[in-house]
Amino acid sequence: MYHVDAKHDGLGKFRRLSGADRYVLEQRARVLTEAWDERWRRRAMLDQHSDELLRHLPDFEAKKAHAARLANEAQRTVASLRNILLKGLEAAPFRMETLYDYRIFPERRPVLPIDQDAPPEPDRSDPSFTIKEEYDVVGEFWAIWLPRVRRKRDEAARSRSEAAQQRYDLARRSWLEAKHEIARLNASAMAMFEVALDEWWERAQDYVKQQRDENAQIDRFRLRYAQGKPDAVIEFQDAVLSHAQYPDIFPMRWEMGFDAESDSLIVDYELPSAEDLPTLKAVKYDVLQDSFEQGYFSQAEISQLYDAAIYQTCLRVLHDVFAADEADVIDSITFNGWVSFIDKVHGKPARACIISVQATKAEIAQTDLSAVDPKACFKTLKGVAGANLADMTALVPIAPLKKLDDSLMPANDMAQGVAAGRLSTQQGQERNQ
């Protein structure tokens, strides 16, 4: 068994995934972290937008807006508990294709260098390379009559002409050197680009080949699932349940067993206790008292909300598993809902199965889950549960998960890092840090 730890600091999520195939496990971790990243991005955008609005409001309006924000968050939390089943029905079923890696080669292709332009060739007619002789009447007069003055004038003119020529020759030599240097740099850059391009292409080909080879592992995993191999069925369905989004109070922890002879899957699913449910109902800002007033759900309302959330969760797990079973290897599912809670009679930690139901794929397919009353549907499926789920009434599961021993361990216990001695079982765990 291999293990991969997936973590998201922003959401406070942690999961240790386990599986027999390392690459399949890595792909499951990738899919899970990508889903977490998208979830965090949306949450951060909403928070940023809300904070921007509050910053631009005066103190009085900001407090009113803050109260409204808290009230909306409380309402959204309650709505998420009441819409667990609907959210699952609206979501696309988890598919095996999700585990394939179709990402493009992440390294950017080398950029074709742009040739540097050589500087313009010096122009011999440029004023800096020529001399402008001004006619001097007096100088010409003395040059005519005095040979010494004429010789001195001619020597000065020749000296200026030679200096101008030297300036031009120097500028041309510098230009030729710069031209040759730029040509050399351009050629060097092109040669380096061609080498880098060849190396990049080689790495890209290696990446595609490795990706193809690794995706072939998913093909083999898919075949093993289609053959009804227990480890493959459990590992894929663990990914299915991991991909589902539930309210934050859900432990997202479960244990599974698959019987290939009867094509039956057993899921021991960890549920939140009634004490985990939010109690905040509304928030108002009292202008006169300059204080926030909070309203809370009654115990009866909490019990009603808890019943609705748990019955919906039961049906949603059945739906999610069957919807993802494209190979049609699972004929029936037994859902056993377990809760860890504080026994109010003895004041000690306790754990009990409070809900259990067994359903076939045909029964779920013939039921319009979007229109049913979850509790009534549960009873139609001959599920067993206490009259009031919030009472934590313990019951015997319809089909218990077979174990080598009677000990109960949290799935993927971090202290052990291995499965808790189960036959053909796979555990999934997610907890808030």
Side-chain angles (χ1 to χ4, degrees):
M1 293 290 287
Y2 296 100
H3 303 286
V4 172
D5 291 341
K7 181 180 179 182
H8 197 287
D9 293 332
L11 294 175
K13 298 291 185 182
F14 175 86
R15 283 211 61 210
R16 166 160 284 195
L17 304 175
S18 303
D21 189 304
R22 171 173 286 179
Y23 180 70
V24 173
L25 194 60
E26 290 174 349
Q27 292 305 98
R28 288 174 53 201
R30 174 184 64 81
V31 171
L32 181 61
T33 53
E34 287 177 353
W36 282 348
D37 288 341
E38 177 62 18
R39 189 173 172 186
W40 174 249
R41 185 187 67 81
R42 293 181 180 178
R43 180 180 295 184
M45 287 180 61
L46 289 174
D47 290 343
Q48 181 181 3
H49 179 68
S50 180
D51 291 340
E52 284 291 331
L53 291 177
L54 290 177
R55 272 198 294 267
H56 293 87
L57 292 175
D59 184 63
F60 166 77
E61 294 293 338
K63 289 181 178 179
K64 287 179 60 179
H66 180 65
R69 177 180 177 180
L70 294 177
N72 288 334
E73 289 177 354
Q75 292 171 7
R76 284 198 301 268
T77 301
V78 172
S80 68
L81 292 168
R82 288 175 174 161
N83 296 317
I84 289 175
L85 179 57
L86 182 60
K87 188 174 181 64
L89 297 175
E90 291 176 345
F94 189 84
R95 297 302 186 199
M96 191 75 74
E97 286 78 7
T98 309
L99 299 177
Y100 287 94
D101 185 3
Y102 293 119
R103 292 173 295 177
I104 62 173
F105 182 49
E107 185 180 333
R108 293 186 62 184
R109 181 183 184 276
V111 179
L112 180 68
I114 299 176
D115 286 345
Q116 299 182 48
D117 293 331
E121 181 179 359
D123 185 358
R124 187 63 182 84
S125 62
D126 188 275
S128 59
F129 306 134
T130 59
I131 57 174
K132 183 178 180 180
E133 298 290 347
E134 295 184 359
Y135 187 74
D136 183 1
V137 177
V138 177
E140 284 295 323
F141 173 80
W142 290 111
I144 293 173
W145 295 100
L146 298 175
R148 180 173 60 85
V149 172
R150 185 168 58 253
R151 285 195 303 271
K152 187 175 182 179
R153 184 199 64 181
D154 293 342
E155 289 175 358
R158 187 167 52 253
S159 178
R160 289 193 298 272
S161 178
E162 291 175 353
Q165 184 64 42
Q166 289 176 357
R167 289 194 301 273
Y168 172 75
D169 293 342
L170 179 61
R172 182 171 175 76
R173 282 196 301 271
S174 298
W175 170 75
L176 288 173
E177 291 175 358
K179 179 182 177 181
H180 293 154
E181 178 63 16
I182 289 174
R184 185 188 69 79
L185 292 175
N186 288 340
S188 176
M190 180 58 68
M192 292 175 63
F193 164 76
E194 292 174 351
V195 171
L197 183 62
D198 290 341
E199 294 175 348
W200 175 85
W201 179 251
E202 184 177 351
R203 290 193 299 273
Q205 293 298 100
D206 291 342
Y207 177 87
V208 172
K209 181 179 181 301
Q210 181 181 356
Q211 189 180 62
R212 189 185 305 115
D213 294 341
E214 290 174 339
N215 282 338
Q217 298 182 49
I218 303 296
D219 291 334
R220 291 191 289 272
F221 175 71
R222 191 171 195 166
L223 177 61
R224 287 170 52 230
Y225 181 91
Q227 293 171 342
K229 301 296 183 182
D231 60 335
V233 173
I234 292 170
E235 186 167 358
F236 177 67
Q237 290 301 335
D238 176 76
V240 172
L241 296 185
S242 300
H243 188 71
Q245 291 188 17
Y246 282 82
D248 289 337
I249 64 170
F250 276 74
M252 297 300 290
R253 188 165 62 247
W254 49 81
E255 296 175 294
M256 296 187 198
F258 181 70
D259 185 352
E261 293 183 1
S262 61
D263 296 335
S264 60
L265 181 75
I266 300 177
V267 182
D268 274 11
Y269 200 92
E270 194 75 14
L271 299 167
S273 68
E275 285 74 19
D276 295 326
L277 264 64
T279 58
L280 184 64
K281 187 175 184 178
V283 180
K284 293 182 179 180
Y285 175 64
D286 190 328
V287 179
L288 298 178
Q289 299 294 329
D290 190 23
S291 62
F292 294 97
E293 296 179 352
Q294 296 178 334
Y296 296 91
F297 289 106
S298 66
Q299 191 59 46
E301 290 174 318
I302 290 291
S303 297
Q304 185 181 19
L305 181 60
Y306 186 70
D307 271 23
I310 300 306
Y311 284 118
Q312 287 185 76
T313 300
C314 173
L315 296 180
R316 177 173 175 181
V317 170
L318 298 177
H319 165 268
D320 288 349
V321 171
F322 281 137
D325 181 35
E326 291 183 285
D328 202 25
V329 299
I330 302 175
D331 182 65
S332 69
I333 302 172
T334 301
F335 175 92
N336 300 321
W338 291 81
V339 181
S340 296
F341 59 98
I342 300 298
D343 186 348
K344 295 181 180 179
V345 176
H346 303 94
K348 294 181 179 181
R351 188 168 185 266
C353 178
I354 66 168
I355 185 172
S356 182
V357 67
Q358 188 175 79
T360 64
K361 177 174 284 189
E363 288 175 319
I364 298 301
Q366 294 168 5
T367 304
D368 184 1
L369 294 177
S370 64
V372 301
D373 174 80
K375 186 174 182 179
C377 180
F378 176 83
K379 291 181 177 180
T380 301
L381 295 172
K382 296 181 173 58
V384 293
N388 186 4
L389 296 180
D391 291 339
M392 301 294 143
T393 303
L395 53 86
V396 177
I398 293 176
L401 191 64
K402 296 180 181 180
K403 295 178 272 188
L404 289 175
D405 53 54
D406 294 330
S407 62
L408 287 175
M409 288 179 59
N412 289 343
D413 190 278
M414 289 297 294
Q416 299 295 330
V418 294
R422 294 199 173 277
L423 282 174
S424 298
T425 61
Q426 170 69 40
Q427 301 86 15
Q429 171 177 328
E430 177 177 311
R431 70 172 184 270
N432 287 335
Q433 294 181 315

